[in-house]
Amino acid sequence: MARSQILAKSMVASVIFDHKDLTSAKKDLRRQMKVQRAALLAEQKELWDRQIYDNVCSLDLVSKSRIVYCYLSFGSEIDTSGLVRTFLDSSKTVAVPRVTGREIHFYQIGALSDVSPGYRGILEPVETCPPAENPDALVILPGLAFTRAGDRLGYGGGYYDRFLAGEPDHPTLALAYPFQILDSSPREADDRRADWIMTPDELIDAGKEEAADKLSSE
């Protein structure tokens, strides 16, 4: 097991042991995962981002999806700009999120020129973009930590949890670095699980009823 994964697993074990309330546990784990992600060497991040890109593009789940809702990466997140460009070039309908109050809503874009800095400096669709109304479209999720059961630790705003609670039929594919996959993670009743999680090395089937696709290399 890679040293980064061992460190991450020891982090979450310490967090859960030291805190009885989940809010504090989540806060500490978020902070620690952000530190670890930000500390990635540029070469390692570029390699893992490329492997995740290649793996996502190889999935039947993705190739058969006519419409994709995808987050726009920010800071040290897994880069999604290449995925968005590829989806657009393959004539998929692509929608990206905009924060409005305590909610996120997705809007269709025709090019990456259709986005500009919005909430907390994160790229968002411009006001002229039409709303996406596809309640069963594939959603590509961000996150800070995950388990193989699909538990997802987000950034604390609850935006994706509320969105998916309102539109529960979306299949969801999360993207993660290896050290973000933990044996356990603090979870509350309203937290929404991911159906699949893609890492540089594998596609994790987190319990979707349909069988998960295998990578083309397998």
Side-chain angles (χ1 to χ4, degrees):
M1 182 182 295
R3 183 171 183 271
S4 61
Q5 289 175 274
I6 294 171
L7 287 173
K9 291 176 185 296
S10 65
M11 281 179 185
V12 70
S14 174
V15 167
I16 294 173
F17 179 82
D18 289 342
H19 296 278
K20 291 185 177 180
D21 77 280
L22 290 177
T23 300
S24 295
K26 285 183 171 184
K27 183 177 179 180
D28 273 11
L29 184 56
R30 287 189 186 102
R31 177 181 56 80
Q32 293 172 2
M33 295 303 287
K34 286 177 182 178
V35 168
Q36 190 165 355
R37 194 177 65 185
L40 273 177
L41 295 177
E43 296 84 355
Q44 182 67 74
K45 181 177 180 2
E46 182 178 351
L47 173 62
W48 278 346
D49 285 358
R50 181 67 195 188
Q51 289 172 329
I52 290 170
Y53 166 88
D54 289 341
N55 291 345
V56 170
C57 290
S58 76
L59 291 177
D60 283 347
L61 170 68
V62 172
S63 63
K64 292 177 179 178
S65 294
R66 185 175 55 87
I67 304 160
V68 180
Y69 289 12
C70 188
Y71 76 94
L72 294 172
S73 51
F74 180 76
S76 61
E77 288 184 323
I78 294 166
D79 183 21
T80 61
S81 59
L83 286 173
V84 172
R85 289 191 186 94
T86 297
F87 296 157
L88 291 168
D89 289 345
S90 61
S91 300
K92 294 184 186 296
T93 297
V94 178
V96 296
R98 182 195 301 151
V99 173
T100 304
R102 297 182 68 250
E103 307 293 331
I104 57 169
H105 302 281
F106 283 79
Y107 296 83
Q108 296 179 26
I109 61 170
L112 281 173
S113 58
D114 290 339
V115 302
S116 63
Y119 175 75
R120 295 190 175 180
I122 301 169
L123 293 175
E124 295 186 338
V126 297
E127 292 294 331
T128 54
C129 291
E133 298 176 348
N134 308 98
D136 57 355
L138 173 66
V139 176
I140 296 182
L141 295 171
L144 286 167
F146 304 90
T147 71
R148 290 181 173 274
D151 298 321
R152 170 185 169 271
L153 181 72
Y155 290 86
Y159 295 103
Y160 278 91
D161 293 322
R162 286 189 291 274
F163 171 75
L164 292 170
E167 296 189 13
D169 294 332
H170 289 285
T172 55
L173 173 67
L175 309 182
Y177 293 129
F179 62 81
Q180 293 178 290
I181 305 300
L182 307 178
D183 291 334
S184 61
S185 178
R187 183 176 184 274
E188 297 176 271
D190 292 338
D191 293 343
R192 303 287 296 189
R193 288 187 169 97
D195 296 324
W196 295 279
I197 307 166
M198 180 61 77
T199 78
D201 307 311
E202 62 176 330
L203 175 66
I204 298 170
D205 177 359
K208 188 72 176 176
E209 289 182 358
E210 300 89 31
D213 298 273
K214 293 183 179 293
L215 301 184
S216 58
S217 59
E218 292 181 341

